[in-house]
Amino acid sequence: MTAVATSVVDEIVAALATVTDPELDEPITTLGFVRSIRIDDTKVVVHLRLPTSFCSPNFAYLMASDAVDALRRVDGLGRVVVRLDDHHDSDKINAGLAADAGYVGTFGVEAETSLDELRRIFRHKAHTAAMERCAEAVLKASGMTVDDLHQVTLADLPDGPHKEALLRRRVAIGLGVHPDEPVLVDEDGAPLAAEAVPLRLRFAKAVRISIEGNSHFCRGLLATRYADVEPDGMSIRVTNARSTS
């Protein structure tokens, strides 16, 4: 990322980092999806890009719309403009964003489901993957077996990024984070009986592997498509045209 020593740039990047790819469960900043940021006295313009021109339009709109919402929460930016580049639905998505038309207003009859439902589906997938990572970490770090896992609570998890990720995802889907809460739950958030744990873990592992595999694949596609993508994804071009910095 081009070095621009202004706090507003840091705020913008931090805001964009709260936006995740719904399928990959990673910030659009580290994935390399933020192409450029331009700031002037009246507005901020952000260009996004994706690994292919045919990435799912609803995912693309969700990320672009979430980027608009995140930037509008940053004080003092003025008008917020987010544009999606090089996608087969770029014109439609960009026009919808500019008009604040919303998802249904942008896609009309093509909008098969609401954005809220799309978010719900992928938040649950992210929670399932995070739950499996924590369960596997407990098995590796202790003498427990799969038969014991139904008794594991949030208090039993070691502090670290896996636990932090699980807690964030529990909050996102409306589950409690009290230390006595069980780690392993079903799709409705109910505690699992011991006999249900093996099947739930196999499913959760498949979800986690799918997310991680898609992430690796998309990073490769993006690096092939755009020559300026850096290994950590942070290849954002920043232009600060404000009269005062």
Side-chain angles (χ1 to χ4, degrees):
M1 181 171 60
T2 304
V4 179
T6 57
S7 61
V8 68
V9 172
D10 294 336
E11 289 185 70
I12 289 169
V13 174
L16 293 171
T18 67
V19 179
T20 59
D21 180 297
E23 189 173 26
L24 306 183
D25 191 35
E26 291 188 54
I28 59 174
T29 46
T30 58
L31 285 167
F33 293 175
V34 182
R35 189 175 202 170
S36 66
I37 298 168
R38 180 180 176 83
I39 316 159
D40 62 29
D41 292 332
T42 61
K43 65 184 179 300
V44 57
V45 180
V46 172
H47 283 258
L48 304 180
R49 61 185 175 188
L50 297 174
T52 72
S53 64
F54 49 86
C55 288
S56 173
N58 52 2
F59 292 172
Y61 180 87
L62 180 62
M63 287 184 278
S65 176
D66 284 354
V68 171
D69 291 341
L71 291 170
R72 283 176 175 170
R73 290 192 287 269
V74 179
D75 291 335
L77 291 185
R79 188 161 65 95
V80 170
V81 179
V82 173
R83 297 188 61 82
L84 177 65
D85 298 340
D86 308 330
H87 189 272
H88 69 81
D89 267 340
S90 283
D91 290 345
K92 181 182 293 186
I93 289 172
N94 292 337
L97 291 172
D100 274 333
Y103 180 59
V104 174
T106 298
F107 288 100
V109 295
E110 297 177 52
E112 297 176 358
T113 185
S114 71
L115 282 186
D116 288 341
E117 176 63 12
L118 192 65
R119 286 190 180 93
R120 187 195 69 79
I121 290 169
F122 283 99
R123 282 172 179 168
H124 276 270
K125 284 189 174 183
H127 167 256
T128 298
M131 185 174 64
E132 190 270 344
R133 290 188 190 100
C134 287
E136 287 297 321
V138 168
L139 290 176
K140 290 178 181 178
S142 69
M144 287 186 179
T145 68
V146 172
D147 293 335
D148 303 316
L149 285 178
H150 69 287
Q151 301 174 350
V152 175
T153 66
L154 295 176
D156 297 322
L157 297 178
D159 292 334
H162 287 333
K163 181 175 182 177
E164 291 171 5
L166 178 63
L167 295 178
R168 288 198 305 273
R169 284 150 180 76
R170 286 178 67 96
V171 170
I173 65 172
L175 294 182
V177 292
H178 189 276
D180 291 337
E181 296 277 357
V183 171
L184 294 182
V185 297
D186 64 16
E187 285 295 322
D188 297 318
L192 290 176
E195 60 270 18
V197 169
L199 182 60
R200 179 66 168 152
L201 276 184
R202 284 197 293 273
F203 171 74
K205 185 174 183 178
V207 171
R208 190 259 302 166
I209 290 173
S210 174
I211 290 173
E212 292 176 353
N214 285 339
S215 177
H216 179 75
F217 182 61
C218 286
R219 289 177 189 276
L221 287 175
L222 190 76
T224 299
R225 191 179 191 197
Y226 297 104
D228 64 337
V229 175
E230 297 176 5
D232 63 356
M234 298 295 284
S235 52
I236 307 170
R237 298 195 306 271
V238 177
T239 304
N240 189 347
R242 286 191 165 189
S243 56
T244 57
S245 57

